[in-house]
Amino acid sequence: MSPRLGGSFPSVNFSENLNLIRQRIAAACVRVGRAEHSVTLLAVSKSHPPESICALVDAGQIFFGENKIQEAKAKIPLCPSKARWQFIGHLQSNKVRDAVELFEMIQGVDSLAIAKEISKRAEQTAKTMPILIEVNVAGEGSKFGYAPEKLLAELNELNALPRIEIHGLMAIPPYAPIAEKARPYFQKLRGLKTDCENLLGAPLPQLSMGMSGDFDVAIEEGATIVRVGTALFGERFSAVRRAED
Ligand SMILES: *Cc1c(COP(=O)(O)O)cnc(C)c1O
């Protein structure tokens, strides 16, 4: 057992939630003939306390995602060292240095300027930073992410930066109460990954897509990383959620 760091949350059974999600991942893989280990479950722990993260680590979860640098900086040192961290939010240039220190992967890179800053900061700490490029698959004005055409236009320049490694693409499709509605966006992201691979002449291993409501469909469409928060941890406090989502 990891140390408990505060009040308990008896209403959430973390290991049961984790098992159910793993079963859904396995079932989705079987449906499309994929190996279960081809999908990484990223537990999105934003707004949840270290003790919940401890409970999930105890249950066998390894990868966690955070979307706020301040929160991650305070929280990560209080969590088990076995936990591995990926950044999944929108990054501002003044937070890049912290992000490079705290995280082993930065998802959500959405401009050449940020990619350059990541490369520069990584160089200063003698690191190479794996990144995923965020794509605005539905062209929503309210969302971050590259427009597909712009990504294809800038891809070679991104790829030439010395201290980043492009591992693939990520997207947050428009919210829909029916998971099936997200399928065309997942297909679009997969198609764009193929276009990028053709342009680069090299494979991109990762497709980060699918959240609590639709990760099964995302896996059927080729997701290699699913980012699951609510289905693992329960609801986030609504005030926090409004500020973040
Ligand atoms: C919050 C968040 C998630 C998890 O969303 P849930 O619906 O709670 O599973 C996934 N990806 C990103 C980028 C997020 O910000």
Side-chain angles (χ1 to χ4, degrees):
M1 287 291 284
S2 301
R4 295 283 147 183
L5 296 160
S8 59
F9 289 77
S11 57
V12 180
N13 185 333
F14 292 100
S15 94
E16 187 175 293
N17 288 355
L18 183 58
N19 285 335
L20 284 171
I21 298 214
R22 284 186 172 157
Q23 282 167 24
R24 281 171 61 187
I25 290 173
C29 285
V30 166
R31 283 198 294 278
V32 291
R34 295 181 56 188
E36 190 181 341
H37 65 76
S38 67
V39 178
T40 298
L41 172 61
L42 186 72
V44 177
S45 48
K46 64 188 185 194
S47 89
H48 296 290
E51 70 161 14
S52 300
I53 294 162
C54 286
L56 267 182
V57 170
D58 284 342
Q61 176 61 24
I62 298 169
F63 295 98
F64 292 85
E66 289 283 335
N67 73 339
K68 291 272 188 296
I69 296 294
Q70 282 312 106
E71 183 181 339
K73 219 173 158 176
K75 209 154 80 179
I76 290 174
L78 303 176
C79 293
S81 57
K82 250 191 281 181
R84 294 169 58 178
W85 300 89
Q86 301 188 3
F87 187 72
I88 57 167
H90 176 69
L91 199 51
Q92 290 160 328
S93 56
N94 64 346
K95 302 276 172 62
V96 166
R97 189 166 56 167
D98 283 333
V100 166
E101 250 171 53
L102 291 164
F103 295 97
E104 65 176 51
M105 163 118 92
I106 297 176
Q107 300 195 18
V109 173
D110 59 4
S111 72
L112 198 48
I114 277 294
K116 282 180 178 166
E117 186 67 18
I118 294 170
S119 183
K120 183 177 119 190
R121 294 297 183 181
E123 180 143 38
Q124 287 168 357
T125 50
K127 277 188 183 177
T128 299
M129 184 48 86
I131 65 160
L132 302 185
I133 295 171
E134 180 169 358
V135 179
N136 189 343
V137 276
E140 293 170 281
S142 60
K143 286 228 175 103
F144 294 111
Y146 262 101
E149 318 74 59
K150 187 160 188 220
L151 171 58
L152 293 172
E154 292 187 357
L155 188 62
N156 280 315
E157 207 175 338
L158 286 163
N159 192 48
L161 294 169
R163 292 294 184 148
I164 62 166
E165 261 172 22
I166 303 173
H167 282 215
L169 306 182
M170 76 89 85
I172 310 168
Y175 174 77
I178 299 162
E180 206 48 52
K181 290 247 158 86
R183 190 183 294 277
Y185 298 111
F186 296 145
Q187 289 170 339
K188 188 168 175 187
L189 192 69
R190 189 184 61 202
L192 186 63
K193 184 169 91 80
T194 305
D195 294 343
C196 289
E197 289 170 332
N198 290 338
L199 229 154
L200 294 171
L204 295 172
Q206 304 290 3
L207 260 185
S208 171
M209 56 189 197
M211 315 195 338
S212 291
D214 56 17
F215 68 84
D216 322 66
V217 175
I219 290 168
E220 290 172 10
E221 296 302 335
T224 63
I225 299 173
V226 292
R227 309 178 309 263
V228 178
T230 309
L232 272 172
F233 288 96
E235 285 290 325
R236 292 180 287 277
F237 293 110
S238 57
V240 176
R241 179 176 229 176
R242 266 198 299 279
E244 284 174 346
D245 291 349

